Amino acid sequence: MIGFPLRSHRHLKLLFSGFVISLFVATSSFAAAQQSEGASIVLKAETLFVIQTNLGPLSPSERAARAQQVISQLLALRDLDSAKFQTVEMPEWTVLRYDTLSILAISEEDARLAGIERKALAEQRLSTIRTALLESYRAISWQRTLLDLLLALGIVALALIALMVMSWIFPKIYDYLGRWEGTFLRPVRISQLEIISSRGLLTTVLLVPQALRLVLTIGVLYYALTALLSLIPGATRWGIDEILVGLAKTVVVVIATLTALKALRALEQLAKRSFDAWQQTRMRSIRIQTVEVISRERLTQFVNGILKLLYIGSIAGLLYGSLTLVFSFFEFTSTWASTLVRYVTEPLLSVLSGFVDFLPSLFFMIVVVFLTRFVIKVVKAIFVEIGKGAITFTGFHREWAIPTYKIARFLIIAFAAVIIFPYLPGSDSDAFKGISVFLGILFSLGSAGAISNIMAGLVLTYMRPFRIGDRVKIGDTMGDVIEKTLLITRVRTTKNVDITIPNAQVLSSHILNYSTMAREEGLILHTTVTIGYDAPWRTVHQLLIDAALATEGIRREPPPFVLQKSLDDFYVSYELNAYTSEAESMARTYSVLHQNIQDKFNEAGIEIMSPHYRAERDGNESTIPRPYRISSAASVASGKTGSDVQGKAEG
């Protein structure tokens, strides 16, 4: 009821505009025809081009009149789309069209008179018409916009007035009908049984005006919406029924979304309460041995954060899906819905497609990894048996087994990595290659010292200069080897000081190993004493050997022996040599040996002369400690002379 007059008004306006434009164009065409041959196509007093040939039974003026009529219709359109102008090739002519409307046909005769090809002439004239129409359309668009705005305001005002009138009239009708209760509307009875009360009858009667109000309201809204949509450019193709169905679906989606949001909120509260009750009894801090890595409070905060992120993500996903669904209900927003769907599906499909394409490479990598593990286990088993001595090779020592296994394992893993590398995702990309080159340069520049130590470690491994536990002297460092790797050798001195020596420095230094011969033939410990010429050398030899045999750690076989190294001005240098199998106890053995030497010589009454010490017996006291001199004097008093002691020693 509302939309029909407005649509009629619109038609009148379009017809009036077309009539004025047609009259103006006809007048202009007539004036132009008086000046030249043919018929002109004119738009707003401007001649676009002239038609000079017939097209079948149509004269130039008839062709121009038909073209002017279509141009007037196009100028009256509410939404003129430049993309809909096109040329359609026919066997005998080329048709200029806007969408499905034919504007003009260009023949071969038109092209001959213009001196260009038919297709080029058609494109030229279509461009001329399109440019002129668009310029004219833009010139009058603001007038249409203003008129459409006024019409829209009028439509809304009329709809509001109609709704206000209904909201004023129908309550009065309800009140008027309400007064019928008990008068016109009496209870329906059968004998004494009341079938329908007066209130029930009133409720039934009120359904009629309520239904009428609902129908009128829907009708007003329907025609108002139809009229408003007719004013929107391009909206004439939208179906009002489809829009109403879309609105109804939107209401359903909104209700469902709100319900789902409430359910999510309740679920979030339930999960939070359940977690609070659970973490009070079962939540424990994460520890590594005695170190607390993550406290109970931090772990609780972390889990609460995850729950909150899940809740927020669920809400965002629900709103995103609801908005996409609502956009799909309407034709003018369906492209938005498809765009939103693509935002989600394209990354997922891309990831899924990439994963599916990666499956053959993944299977190959898994096979290589399992084969590598199998080969490493076989190699390890072989080298373990070599280390135990069950498998022997000429020239290959048992202690080489574990280091050689480590080298072989590294080479096997490196070979497997080289095989797997081309199958890694993105390994052929420029970014991956650039990072690989950058890391390679950093490794090359920063690991020169490490590489030299590794190479030195390999050389030391197969040189076998020492083993773990050996007593060695490397340069100025003496101690027991406690660790030997490809990079360093760690030595613990007799003072319990751990010294770490790079393998390159170990290789460039001289190495003394005291333990190698100590385990096999015995290490010779040697010490030098200087005794005056007045002491018989046989007695000195025997005393030194007795001191050695009395020392713990000195072997009896081979027996100790004494060498006279030099005959100096004031004394003779005697070197005691004794075998030991305990190289790690060298310092303690030397200390006990020196103590025993002192005891033996003091007991025999023989002085150990220090260098350049001259014993002048002109009343000076002897260097032998007093207790030993008293013991020696007692021996003399009992009848034992020095010659007896000497003889005993020689015997």
Side-chain angles (χ1 to χ4, degrees):
M1 293 174 65
I2 295 176
F4 178 75
L6 292 173
R7 187 177 295 275
S8 300
H9 176 73
R10 177 190 175 199
H11 291 166
L12 290 175
K13 180 183 69 171
L14 295 177
L15 291 175
F16 179 73
S17 300
F19 174 77
V20 172
I21 293 173
S22 300
L23 180 62
F24 182 79
V25 170
T27 305
S28 302
S29 300
F30 178 77
Q34 299 298 322
Q35 297 177 1
S36 62
E37 297 180 359
S40 300
I41 302 296
V42 180
L43 182 60
K44 300 187 72 172
E46 180 181 354
T47 300
L48 303 181
F49 51 85
V50 178
I51 300 176
Q52 297 178 334
T53 62
N54 296 334
L55 185 64
L58 298 178
S59 63
S61 59
E62 291 175 335
R63 293 175 64 192
R66 291 190 176 187
Q68 293 286 174
Q69 182 179 4
V70 176
I71 290 173
S72 299
Q73 295 177 6
L74 295 178
L75 194 61
L77 290 177
R78 308 192 67 82
D79 51 343
L80 193 63
D81 188 358
S82 62
K84 294 183 178 181
F85 287 94
Q86 58 184 341
T87 59
V88 180
E89 293 293 333
M90 297 293 184
E92 298 181 358
W93 53 76
T94 302
V95 181
L96 311 183
R97 283 186 179 179
Y98 176 83
D99 201 6
T100 58
L101 291 176
S102 297
I103 303 174
L104 182 66
I106 303 299
S107 64
E108 291 290 348
E109 186 67 18
D110 294 328
R112 186 184 64 79
L113 289 177
I116 58 177
E117 294 182 356
R118 187 181 74 187
K119 184 177 181 181
L121 180 62
E123 293 289 345
Q124 182 183 32
R125 291 189 172 178
L126 180 65
S127 176
T128 301
I129 294 173
R130 179 171 58 237
T131 302
L133 280 173
L134 291 176
E135 291 179 354
S136 300
Y137 185 80
R138 285 192 291 269
I140 62 175
S141 60
W142 67 271
Q143 299 175 355
R144 289 178 177 173
T145 303
L146 180 60
L147 181 59
D148 291 343
L149 181 60
L150 294 176
L151 289 175
L153 292 176
I155 292 170
V156 173
L158 290 175
L160 291 176
I161 290 173
L163 293 175
M164 292 174 63
V165 169
M166 286 189 292
S167 64
W168 178 74
I169 290 177
F170 279 97
K172 294 185 177 297
I173 294 175
Y174 299 154
D175 293 339
Y176 178 74
L177 294 177
R179 292 195 291 270
W180 286 8
E181 183 180 1
T183 56
F184 295 101
L185 301 176
R186 297 180 179 277
V188 177
R189 297 176 182 273
I190 298 178
S191 298
Q192 300 296 325
L193 179 62
E194 184 179 78
I195 304 300
I196 302 176
S197 64
S198 58
R199 172 60 64 178
L201 288 174
L202 177 61
T203 303
T204 303
V205 171
L206 287 176
L207 290 177
V208 176
Q210 289 173 353
L212 178 61
R213 182 178 182 178
L214 178 61
V215 171
L216 291 177
T217 301
I218 294 175
V220 169
L221 295 177
Y222 179 85
Y223 285 106
L225 185 60
T226 304
L228 289 174
L229 289 175
S230 67
L231 300 176
I232 301 175
T236 53
R237 64 180 182 272
W238 300 344
I240 186 64
D241 296 335
E242 296 179 359
I243 293 177
L244 291 177
V245 172
L247 290 175
K249 292 180 179 179
T250 301
V251 172
V252 174
V253 170
V254 170
I255 295 173
T257 302
L258 293 176
T259 305
L261 288 175
K262 291 183 178 179
L264 281 176
R265 180 61 179 173
L267 185 62
E268 189 263 345
Q269 294 293 336
L270 177 61
K272 188 175 181 180
R273 288 194 300 269
S274 301
F275 173 71
D276 290 340
W278 180 78
Q279 63 97 9
Q280 293 292 338
T281 57
R282 299 186 180 181
M283 182 71 73
R284 297 290 185 271
S285 59
I286 298 177
R287 295 176 174 272
I288 298 179
Q289 296 181 359
T290 59
V291 179
E292 185 179 65
V293 180
I294 302 177
S295 64
R296 182 168 170 268
E297 291 75 14
R298 288 295 181 87
L299 191 59
T300 302
Q301 293 176 1
F302 177 73
V303 176
N304 284 329
I306 292 178
L307 292 176
K308 184 175 291 185
L309 285 177
L310 289 175
Y311 175 65
I312 295 174
S314 301
I315 292 177
L318 180 62
L319 294 178
Y320 190 90
S322 300
L323 186 63
T324 303
L325 193 60
V326 169
F327 283 161
S328 66
F329 294 154
F330 304 96
E331 181 183 357
F332 50 88
T333 59
S334 58
T335 56
W336 300 353
S338 60
T339 302
L340 292 177
V341 171
R342 284 199 304 272
Y343 286 161
V344 176
T345 57
E346 286 183 356
L348 294 177
L349 291 176
S350 177
V351 172
L352 182 60
S353 175
F355 179 74
V356 172
D357 295 338
F358 178 65
L359 284 178
S361 300
L362 180 62
F363 178 75
F364 178 81
M365 292 167 61
I366 292 173
V367 171
V368 171
V369 169
F370 274 101
L371 287 177
T372 303
R373 287 173 56 87
F374 175 75
V375 172
I376 289 176
K377 288 183 178 180
V378 172
V379 172
K380 182 179 180 181
I382 294 174
F383 279 105
V384 167
E385 295 301 322
I386 292 175
K388 293 178 180 179
I391 300 176
T392 59
F393 295 98
T394 303
F396 192 92
H397 300 278
R398 292 171 56 182
E399 59 267 22
W400 289 352
I402 299 303
T404 306
Y405 160 69
K406 292 180 179 179
I407 296 172
R409 182 182 62 182
F410 173 77
L411 294 177
I412 293 171
I413 293 175
F415 181 71
V418 170
I419 295 176
I420 289 174
F421 181 81
Y423 295 91
L424 294 175
S427 60
D428 56 344
S429 65
D430 294 336
F432 199 95
K433 294 177 181 177
I435 292 175
S436 301
V437 172
F438 177 71
L439 293 178
I441 293 174
L442 288 182
F443 181 78
S444 300
L445 295 177
S447 61
I451 295 298
S452 63
N453 286 325
I454 291 174
M455 297 306 297
L458 292 175
V459 173
L460 290 173
T461 297
Y462 294 99
M463 281 177 57
R464 303 174 64 218
F466 49 77
R467 293 186 295 181
I468 300 296
D470 285 358
R471 172 63 61 89
V472 297
K473 184 177 182 181
I474 302 174
D476 296 331
T477 303
M478 182 174 178
D480 298 327
V481 179
I482 61 173
E483 185 179 0
K484 183 175 65 173
T485 66
L486 287 178
L487 290 174
I488 58 96
T489 297
R490 187 166 286 115
V491 176
R492 178 169 296 167
T493 68
T494 57
K495 305 302 181 182
N496 277 344
V497 177
D498 290 346
I499 300 177
T500 301
I501 309 173
N503 283 337
Q505 183 177 344
V506 174
L507 187 63
S508 63
S509 303
H510 61 278
I511 304 172
L512 303 180
N513 192 330
Y514 299 101
S515 300
T516 302
M517 295 304 295
R519 286 190 296 266
E520 299 173 0
E521 299 179 5
L523 174 66
I524 298 178
L525 302 182
H526 58 88
T527 184
T528 302
V529 295
T530 56
I531 307 298
Y533 284 97
D534 57 337
W537 64 268
R538 292 181 178 83
T539 302
V540 174
H541 281 209
Q542 187 61 45
L543 292 174
L544 290 174
I545 293 173
D546 291 342
L549 294 176
T551 303
E552 183 181 358
I554 297 297
R555 295 171 58 174
R556 294 186 175 274
E557 292 295 334
F561 61 92
V562 180
L563 299 176
Q564 293 184 206
K565 297 182 62 178
S566 64
L567 300 176
D568 298 318
D569 293 338
F570 307 103
Y571 50 79
V572 180
S573 295
Y574 298 92
E575 183 184 76
L576 172 63
N577 295 271
Y579 293 87
T580 181
S581 300
E582 301 175 3
E584 66 278 2
S585 303
M586 287 174 55
R588 180 180 59 81
T589 304
Y590 267 119
S591 177
V592 175
L593 178 61
H594 291 155
Q595 294 172 9
N596 291 336
I597 290 174
Q598 286 181 286
D599 290 340
K600 294 298 181 181
F601 276 79
N602 289 331
E603 290 174 357
I606 299 176
E607 293 180 292
I608 299 175
M609 308 296 291
S610 62
H612 304 288
Y613 182 84
R614 181 177 181 181
E616 297 181 354
R617 300 304 177 204
D618 54 357
N620 293 330
E621 188 176 2
S622 175
T623 59
I624 299 175
R626 183 176 296 275
Y628 290 99
R629 292 204 305 269
I630 296 174
S631 176
S632 177
S635 298
V636 172
S638 63
K640 295 181 180 180
T641 62
S643 60
D644 294 333
V645 176
Q646 179 179 352
K648 184 179 179 181
E650 291 178 354

